[in-house]
Amino acid sequence: MKRITFLIVTILLTLTSCEKVINIDTTISESELVLNAVPSAEKQFFVNFSYTHFFLDTSNYHPVPNMDMVITVNGNEYRPSSTHRCNYFFDYTPQPDDSIAIRVVAGNRTVTASTYVPRFPQITAPNVRYDSSGTFNLLHIEFPITDHPNYKNYYRIYITQHDSGAYYHPFLEYLDTIDTVRTTTFFCFDTALIAGAQSLSSGLGVSEFNVPIFSQLLTSDSLFDGTTHPTSLQIMLLRDTNEIQPFIHQYELTIECVTPERMQYLQAIEANNGMMSLITEPPAMYSNVNGALGIFAGTAKKKYPLITLADGQVVATPSKNKRAKK
């Protein structure tokens, strides 16, 4: 016991002796403009425009004073109808195939960007099948993608999991209440989707092991343009023994059509969050905004509820007559 205690003390002293103090200047002036907007089909359009700020700044918003903002949609101009902190809302709801440009004049600086709103993905409601016959419980999700002909589509596919209930932390010996939404990993063995993802240089979740596991699938229609392509995904449903039953898990599928600019931005985020970013210099974030940092890129998405589980059992499945959320 004395040897173990001596070893722990030695390690602590070693770490303390190697400690470096990094002085952080929290008085750095606001220097960069940031414009972020993702015009989404059939959603009210808004723009976030502000200065950059120190990440420990608790105010979380730095509006730009005395600026003029205007968007041009298919030749028609709109100005913000309301604001909240650094968010500027417009009395306009983007529609598929809209062409949108923005111009902001802030002092002696002019910020511009342009994009378009893609068409909605043409997806029928997924067929969901719960499979408990094997070693692991699986959720099979099958749906066809009817791709727009002669139209370059870029797809983002991901699945969210809403967890709700009581959770026991055995190490700290206390109960916690969980109510959170997170993305969950899924399998995709569809060669056309995987090839489309690889053609965009979008890595697999664990590509170094050649296992097609994704937290999000970024792909294109390069191998099924203008056709109806059958698609299947699988989720491995693992149970945490520290959950206090009944603990609810709700799954939802999101399929998003994005512009090339949004695709590049999502890929840059994926690269910065990958395992290699821990040991290599992170790549620069993609931006298509002139005169500022940020992204201005359109999207059109559909959401489909998949299944609700409690105590490892199916308690609710999506209604086939229920209209998918957009």
Side-chain angles (χ1 to χ4, degrees):
M1 183 65 186
K2 291 182 179 179
R3 290 183 180 179
I4 296 176
T5 304
F6 176 77
L7 179 60
I8 294 174
V9 172
T10 302
I11 293 174
L12 291 175
L13 289 175
T14 303
L15 292 175
T16 303
S17 64
C18 295
E19 181 180 351
K20 293 182 179 180
V21 177
I22 301 176
N23 295 318
I24 299 176
D25 183 5
T26 60
T27 63
I28 297 176
S29 60
E30 300 161 337
S31 57
E32 293 291 340
L33 296 171
V34 181
L35 185 151
N36 285 306
V38 183
S40 183
E42 300 187 358
K43 300 288 185 183
Q44 184 182 11
F45 180 63
F46 75 95
V47 176
N48 182 276
F49 186 65
S50 67
Y51 285 110
T52 56
H53 61 278
F54 182 57
F55 75 101
L56 292 179
D57 188 341
T58 57
S59 64
N60 292 327
Y61 65 97
H62 294 260
V64 180
N66 303 320
M67 65 87 188
D68 179 60
M69 178 183 295
V70 59
I71 63 168
T72 304
V73 184
N74 306 326
N76 301 312
E77 291 190 347
Y78 300 85
R79 280 185 162 79
S81 58
S82 63
T83 62
H84 178 65
R85 294 183 176 179
C86 298
N87 293 324
Y88 300 82
F89 296 87
F90 293 79
D91 283 335
Y92 183 76
T93 301
Q95 300 298 317
D97 291 327
D98 275 351
S99 177
I100 303 179
I102 188 169
R103 185 184 72 251
V104 183
V105 177
N108 61 351
R109 299 181 61 176
T110 301
V111 179
T112 60
S114 62
T115 188
Y116 68 92
V117 181
R119 300 170 186 174
F120 278 111
Q122 298 185 116
I123 310 294
T124 57
N127 178 34
V128 182
R129 180 167 53 89
Y130 178 76
D131 182 4
S132 60
S133 61
T135 304
F136 298 101
N137 294 337
L138 297 174
L139 192 66
H140 298 274
I141 307 156
E142 299 175 345
F143 56 91
I145 299 176
T146 303
D147 190 71
H148 300 96
N150 302 316
Y151 181 90
K152 190 62 177 178
N153 262 324
Y154 298 91
Y155 293 97
R156 180 192 184 201
I157 301 173
Y158 61 96
I159 298 173
T160 55
Q161 178 177 334
H162 181 195
D163 296 340
S164 180
Y167 187 90
Y168 178 69
H169 293 268
F171 183 74
L172 299 176
E173 298 184 347
Y174 79 98
L175 284 174
D176 193 9
T177 299
I178 303 296
D179 188 20
T180 184
V181 177
R182 59 183 176 86
T183 57
T184 187
T185 56
F186 59 91
F187 295 92
C188 178
F189 297 94
D190 189 318
T191 55
L193 293 183
I194 293 174
Q198 292 172 336
S199 68
L200 296 170
S201 299
S202 174
L204 302 178
V206 286
S207 57
E208 53 267 65
F209 303 111
N210 294 318
V211 179
I213 301 178
F214 299 86
S215 58
Q216 65 173 349
L217 177 54
L218 305 175
T219 187
S220 73
D221 63 353
S222 57
L223 293 183
F224 55 92
D225 177 54
T227 66
T228 298
H229 179 70
T231 306
S232 63
L233 312 173
Q234 292 82 36
I235 305 175
M236 185 181 296
L237 303 173
L238 301 176
R239 179 178 174 182
D240 191 334
T241 57
N242 292 318
E243 296 170 353
I244 307 301
Q245 303 305 325
F247 195 94
I248 304 298
H249 298 280
Q250 295 174 319
Y251 295 87
E252 186 175 64
L253 171 68
T254 299
I255 302 177
E256 184 178 356
C257 281
V258 301
T259 62
E261 296 80 15
R262 178 156 171 77
M263 177 63 72
Q264 291 186 61
Y265 178 74
L266 292 169
Q267 288 178 301
I269 293 176
E270 190 175 71
N272 274 280
N273 292 336
M275 290 186 293
M276 293 301 296
S277 65
L278 299 175
I279 58 176
T280 61
E281 185 72 19
M285 285 300 299
Y286 173 79
S287 175
N288 69 330
V289 177
N290 301 310
L293 305 174
I295 186 70
F296 188 76
T299 183
K301 67 176 68 174
K302 288 187 176 182
K303 296 184 177 182
Y304 299 91
L306 296 177
I307 200 170
T308 300
L309 298 176
D311 196 17
Q313 302 298 319
V314 179
V315 296
T317 55
S319 171
K320 293 184 179 180
N321 296 324
K322 183 177 180 180
R323 184 179 178 184
K325 296 182 291 182
K326 292 183 178 180

